[in-house]
């Protein structure tokens, strides 16, 4: 058996690179070779109307990127991918995640999809400001639909800030969301593998409303309760995720979903909790792929 771990070539942070290297180490303990493959190596292309495939040597793929074209081609040629294409693409788009999870009794902040323009129209911007002020109280959050590590998330304190942000976000998919002040700079990251909660940490940032480690947040052990455990496992099940990190905001009235990460980093998580996330994920994948192999042979 040989496994490919596909990563984004442009990401070289310690937090990001830790993940594929730890998975590679854990596969090696089972005598399995895992190769880290960068998404810029053009291993798939279309020639004479057919997908040319250089991944046939791999039993399955761990996809730590969000390249939708690569995902689509890998799915079409039938190589097992973890997470699956639809789960990754749904989680990659924050607004799509909230839409997908709506009507399942998943508690989340009030969320409004942003107006996407084809050209700058001052009147439309002013109308958007007026409508948003009717729906949300200052301060509130603006988020780019695509982004990670706390990037593309902004705190809107007043009308002037809203107007300037609307002009910046005009041509980007984005959303607006109520600001949960009591949870500012704090969230709970829950790791779920194979539909089961593995553990949780609290991320805290006293200098920023974003709790992300990449924005200066610090991690500490969080002792998960039954309600949060069930909520996290329900979300992973609805989105059909084999592996994920789910972020929650804690309020006096309960937990609210913040975001779902289909390829959540786990460097800080392992360091804080001493839970071997890579081992849990590798063991799950090996069990899961035995089932897949059995089905293919039948």
């Amino acid at each position: 058996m040989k496994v490919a771990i596909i990563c984004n070539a442009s990401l070289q942070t310690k937090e990001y690179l830790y993940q594929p290297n730890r998975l590679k180490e854990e596969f090696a303990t089972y005598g399995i070779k895992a190769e880290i493959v960068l998404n810029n190596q053009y291993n798939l292309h279309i020639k004479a109307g057919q997908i040319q495939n250089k991944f046939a040597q791999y039993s399955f793929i761990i996809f730590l990127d969000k390249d939708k074209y690569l995902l689509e081609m890998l799915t079409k040629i039938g190589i097992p991918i973890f997470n699956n294409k639809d789960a990754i693409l749904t989680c990659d788009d924050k607004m799509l995640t909230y839409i997908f999870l709506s009507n399942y009794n998943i508690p989340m902040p009030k969320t409004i999809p942003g107006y996407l323009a084809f050209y700058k129209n001052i009147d439309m911007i002013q109308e958007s400001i007026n409508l948003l002020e009717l729906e949300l109280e200052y301060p509130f959050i603006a988020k780019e639909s695509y982004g990670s590590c706390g990037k593309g998330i902004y705190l809107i304190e007043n009308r002037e800030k809203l107007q300037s942000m609307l002009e910046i976000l005009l041509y980007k998919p984005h959303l607006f969301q109520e600001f949960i002040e009591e949870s500012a700079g704090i969230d709970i990251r829950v790791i779920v593998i194979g539909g089961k909660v593995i553990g949780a940490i609290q991320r805290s940032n006293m200098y920023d409303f974003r709790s992300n480690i990449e924005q200066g947040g610090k991690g500490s052990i969080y002792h998960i309760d039954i309600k949060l455990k069930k909520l996290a496992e329900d979300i992973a099940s609805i989105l059909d995720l084999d592996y994920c990190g789910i972020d929650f905001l804690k309020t006096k009235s309960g937990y609210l979903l913040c975001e779902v990460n289909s390829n959540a980093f786990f460097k800080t998580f392992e360091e804080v909790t001493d839970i071997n996330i890579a081992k849990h994920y590798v063991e799950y994948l090996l069990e899961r792929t035995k089932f897949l192999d059995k089905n293919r042979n039948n």
Side-chain angles (χ1 to χ4, degrees), residues 5-6 16 19 23 61-68 71 81-94 97 101 145-149 189-194 203 235-236 239-247 257-266 277 281 284-285:
I5 305 172
I6 296 181
Y16 182 72
Q19 193 168 355
L23 290 169
I61 291 169
I62 301 174
F63 205 86
L64 301 183
D65 190 29
K66 300 174 181 179
D67 187 324
K68 66 180 183 180
L71 266 172
I81 310 169
F82 301 96
N83 285 294
N84 69 75
K85 178 196 72 171
D86 291 338
I88 291 173
L89 295 182
T90 300
C91 291
D92 188 31
D93 183 332
K94 293 180 176 65
T97 305
L101 289 171
S145 294
Y146 299 96
S148 57
C149 304
R189 162 67 59 88
V190 182
I191 296 289
V192 184
I193 299 175
R203 303 185 300 179
I235 290 169
L239 294 172
D240 193 22
L241 288 156
D242 294 285
Y243 167 85
C244 62
I246 308 176
D247 301 335
L257 172 68
C258 182
E259 293 182 8
V260 183
N261 306 275
S262 65
N263 59 349
F265 301 163
F266 56 72
I277 296 298
Y281 194 18
Y284 165 75
L285 289 171

Side-chain angles (χ1 to χ4, degrees), residues 97-117:
T97 305
Y98 299 127
I99 293 170
F100 201 99
L101 289 171
S102 62
N103 298 342
Y104 282 102
N105 295 317
I106 303 298
M108 59 185 80
K110 183 175 183 178
T111 303
I112 301 171
Y115 162 65
L116 190 62

Side-chain angles (χ1 to χ4, degrees), residues 87-216:
I88 291 173
L89 295 182
T90 300
C91 291
D92 188 31
D93 183 332
K94 293 180 176 65
M95 190 65 223
L96 194 58
T97 305
Y98 299 127
I99 293 170
F100 201 99
L101 289 171
S102 62
N103 298 342
Y104 282 102
N105 295 317
I106 303 298
M108 59 185 80
K110 183 175 183 178
T111 303
I112 301 171
Y115 162 65
L116 190 62
F118 293 105
Y119 58 89
K120 186 174 180 178
N121 183 314
I122 297 299
D123 291 336
M124 287 299 294
I125 290 175
Q126 290 304 315
E127 184 177 356
S128 291
I129 291 172
N130 294 336
L131 291 171
L132 285 167
E133 287 180 333
L134 290 174
E135 296 291 339
L136 296 168
E137 294 183 2
Y138 293 112
F140 57 86
I141 299 293
K143 290 184 180 181
E144 296 180 22
S145 294
Y146 299 96
S148 57
C149 304
K151 296 177 182 177
I153 302 176
Y154 313 95
L155 186 62
I156 308 298
E157 299 97 338
N158 50 48
R159 174 174 272 243
E160 291 71 28
K161 181 69 174 289
L162 177 57
Q163 177 161 343
S164 65
M165 286 309 309
L166 280 170
E167 294 184 15
I168 291 171
L169 298 175
L170 196 60
Y171 311 109
K172 299 178 180 180
H174 62 282
L175 61 94
F176 299 96
Q177 203 166 58
E178 66 175 313
F179 178 51
I180 309 302
E181 188 169 2
E182 63 185 295
S183 189
I186 300 173
D187 73 2
I188 311 300
R189 162 67 59 88
V190 182
I191 296 289
V192 184
I193 299 175
K196 303 296 181 184
V197 165
I198 303 301
I201 63 171
Q202 178 171 296
R203 303 185 300 179
S204 305
N205 190 342
M206 60 184 298
Y207 302 108
D208 199 298
F209 71 96
R210 297 166 295 179
S211 60
N212 306 74
I213 301 300
E214 295 77 12
Q215 303 301 327

